[in-house]
Amino acid sequence: MIDFNKFLIIFKREYITRVTSKAYIITTLLAPLIFLAFFIIPVLVVLLTPDTQRSVAVVDETGTIAPRMLENDPDRYQYLPDVPLDEIRAKVTDGRLHGFVIIDEEVIAGNRTPELIFAGTGGVAFITEVRSALRSAIRDEKLDRADVSPEVRQIMNERIALSTRVLTATGEEEQDTSALFVVGLVLGFIMYIAMFVYGGIVMRGVIEEKTNRIVEVIVSSVRPFELLMGKVIGVGALAVTQFVFWALAIGGISLAATPVMLYFFGSRATEAAGGDTAAAMQALESELPFTMPEIGTSLLIGFLVFFILGYLIYSALFAAVGSALESETENNQLTTVVSLPIIIPILFISPVSSDPDSNLAIVLSLIPLFSPIIMPVRMAVMSVPAWEIGLSIVLMTLTFLGLIWLSARIYRVGILMYGKSASFKELAKWVRYS
């Protein structure tokens, strides 16, 4: 039976010592700012970077495509019918033009692919814009030559939008699945990093105490199992504290950043909206390269539950491995074996996010060692049946109880063994003899 007084002493020691350390405080305070920077900096770059105008000459032997492209974007395209091709090439070489395309009847008939000859600047976005303008101009010319009616042209230009709504037990609920796809990917990678970081803290703590021989003093008054549980739960509480702070900080900073963004960029948005603040907000949001998704409370709670269970499973394994190692710098096969179940689910995050209710996704999310990463990804993208979530939690709980029993038997012997790192064969002996 565990002595809870001694367990609490170990728990408080692990939690208080680490939560008051400078490294923990700095990491906790800086992480939300760094996280938000990944989202805000790209937006600022898009909004603040002035558009670079790249001029393109249209060498049009037919005289029908160039006028259409000039009508579409007169600042970009130039029609130079009297300028020799060699002179146009010279203009591209010395930077007066960024490129040129040659159009003839073979291009319009579809017998030859048009080419864009350019200076190599502008990147994929520049090439895509020229291709789109050229494609539109040639299509319109073909429609004119085929004497297509305005009604048919309108039908061809129509773009059918598709909005998604999920039918729930209480009615219809609007959902942006493309944005939630990104949320699922982000949650999966956060869980992946968290398993390594906090599991590594437990492992390094065990190795440090073993190296300094502190553990010999501790185990003289505390049972190894109580020491293991106090260390695992103490670091786990540390992680939960950090995640809760980060969630509140990111939420608060996001709310505060919205009016600041409007203040700096509101002039352009407000001007476009005719002075209407609400419309200005919509105009500003329309310029963003993505739509901010709404993350429900159930998803946050689910993420926290699977994080705690995943952390308990992997921290027990990392603690057992730490007790079997001689130093922190030692790259042992045991570390690789423990790390593999964390790495493997990362390979499946993309297919699981794309098809979250497939048999592969269901099976992977029910495997206890994979569940901490795969199940939150599924929960972000779709409404996972309650029985699957419940079964996954039960399986993870049973796995943790089995692993903590196994790890405690290894830990009991390993923390007092010196001289060399243990092999798999020796670990099996420790489990049998304990």
Side-chain angles (χ1 to χ4, degrees):
M1 231 8 224
I2 187 170
D3 186 331
F4 283 99
N5 291 328
K6 293 180 178 178
F7 163 78
L8 287 175
I9 292 174
I10 300 299
F11 170 82
K12 289 179 181 177
R13 174 181 174 273
E14 291 293 332
Y15 184 79
I16 300 299
T17 301
R18 297 182 189 280
V19 83
T20 55
S21 66
K22 289 183 181 178
Y24 178 84
I25 294 173
I26 292 174
T27 304
T28 303
L29 294 177
L30 289 183
L33 299 177
I34 296 173
F35 180 80
L36 288 176
F38 279 105
F39 292 92
I40 292 177
I41 289 177
V43 175
L44 293 177
V45 170
V46 171
L47 294 177
L48 296 178
T49 302
D51 295 333
T52 302
Q53 191 57 252
R54 302 182 188 280
S55 54
V56 177
V58 182
V59 182
D60 187 2
E61 297 177 1
T62 68
T64 58
I65 302 302
R68 297 179 187 277
M69 297 181 72
L70 263 67
E71 182 180 0
N72 179 50
D73 190 349
D75 295 329
R76 163 161 294 179
Y77 299 105
Q78 298 181 20
Y79 183 34
L80 308 172
D82 300 326
V83 179
L85 185 58
D86 290 341
E87 185 174 338
I88 293 177
R89 284 180 175 274
K91 288 185 176 182
V92 173
T93 303
D94 60 25
R96 286 177 291 168
L97 283 174
H98 289 85
F100 65 93
V101 292
I102 300 176
I103 306 297
D104 56 19
E105 288 295 339
E106 291 295 308
V107 170
I108 297 177
N111 298 326
R112 185 177 70 81
T113 301
E115 285 186 322
L116 168 66
I117 313 298
F118 70 116
T121 60
V124 176
F126 169 64
I127 297 173
T128 302
E129 290 170 1
V130 174
R131 182 192 296 121
S132 177
L134 187 59
R135 184 178 296 162
S136 176
I138 293 176
R139 182 197 61 196
D140 290 343
E141 175 62 20
K142 285 185 175 180
L143 291 174
D144 283 348
R145 293 185 180 185
D147 195 21
V148 174
S149 66
E151 291 77 10
V152 175
R153 291 172 185 269
Q154 183 178 358
I155 293 174
M156 293 187 65
N157 290 328
E158 287 181 351
R159 294 290 182 271
I160 306 301
L162 176 65
S163 61
T164 58
R165 300 178 71 86
V166 176
L167 183 61
T168 66
T170 57
E172 290 186 345
E173 179 181 344
E174 190 171 358
Q175 186 180 33
D176 185 350
T177 55
S178 60
L180 291 176
F181 172 83
V182 177
V183 172
L185 292 178
V186 172
L187 289 182
F189 280 104
I190 290 176
M191 195 71 82
Y192 166 78
I193 296 172
M195 293 298 106
F196 270 118
V197 170
Y198 296 110
I201 291 176
V202 173
M203 186 175 71
R204 286 193 297 273
V206 172
I207 295 174
E208 183 180 353
E209 291 174 351
K210 182 177 177 181
T211 304
N212 297 334
R213 303 293 178 99
I214 298 175
V215 70
E216 296 177 3
V217 179
I218 298 176
V219 295
S220 63
S221 56
V222 180
R223 292 169 54 203
F225 182 73
E226 293 161 354
L227 177 59
L228 175 62
M229 288 299 296
K231 186 178 292 296
V232 169
I233 303 298
V235 176
L238 195 77
V240 172
T241 302
Q242 211 164 35
F243 268 109
V244 171
F245 175 83
W246 286 343
L248 295 175
I250 291 174
I253 293 175
S254 299
L255 289 175
T258 301
V260 175
M261 294 279 287
L262 270 179
Y263 174 79
F264 282 105
F265 308 107
S267 57
R268 184 168 55 179
T270 304
E271 183 180 353
D276 188 340
T277 304
M281 174 66 92
Q282 293 179 354
L284 181 62
E285 290 179 348
S286 66
E287 295 184 26
L288 298 178
F290 59 88
T291 301
M292 290 298 292
E294 294 183 5
I295 301 176
T297 306
S298 59
L299 177 59
L300 293 176
I301 295 175
F303 175 82
L304 195 59
V305 169
F306 279 91
F307 165 74
I308 292 173
L309 289 172
Y311 162 77
L312 292 175
I313 289 174
Y314 282 104
S315 62
L317 290 174
F318 275 111
V321 169
S323 68
L325 297 179
E326 275 301 299
S327 66
E328 188 178 335
T329 57
E330 192 171 5
N331 187 13
N332 193 278
Q333 292 178 343
L334 298 174
T335 309
T336 305
V337 171
V338 174
S339 302
L340 276 179
I342 307 176
I343 297 172
I344 291 174
I346 289 297
L347 305 176
F348 294 97
I349 280 186
S350 181
V352 168
S353 299
S354 302
D355 193 2
D357 57 349
S358 65
N359 291 333
L360 174 66
I362 294 173
V363 170
L364 289 175
S365 64
L366 293 178
I367 297 175
L369 293 179
F370 298 167
S371 298
I373 295 177
I374 299 297
M375 186 60 83
V377 172
R378 292 186 64 210
M379 292 174 66
V381 182
M382 63 171 287
S383 177
V384 180
W387 72 266
E388 292 183 18
I389 298 176
L391 179 59
S392 178
I393 291 175
V394 170
L395 292 175
M396 290 179 70
T397 304
L398 294 176
T399 301
F400 165 67
L401 294 176
L403 286 176
I404 196 67
W405 174 83
L406 189 67
S407 299
R409 297 176 76 83
I410 296 174
Y411 184 80
R412 185 181 306 172
V413 179
I415 55 174
L416 298 175
M417 297 294 287
Y418 300 98
K420 67 171 186 174
S421 298
S423 63
F424 288 108
K425 187 177 180 180
E426 289 169 320
L427 292 184
K429 286 182 180 178
W430 294 355
V431 172
R432 289 198 302 270
Y433 294 158
S434 297

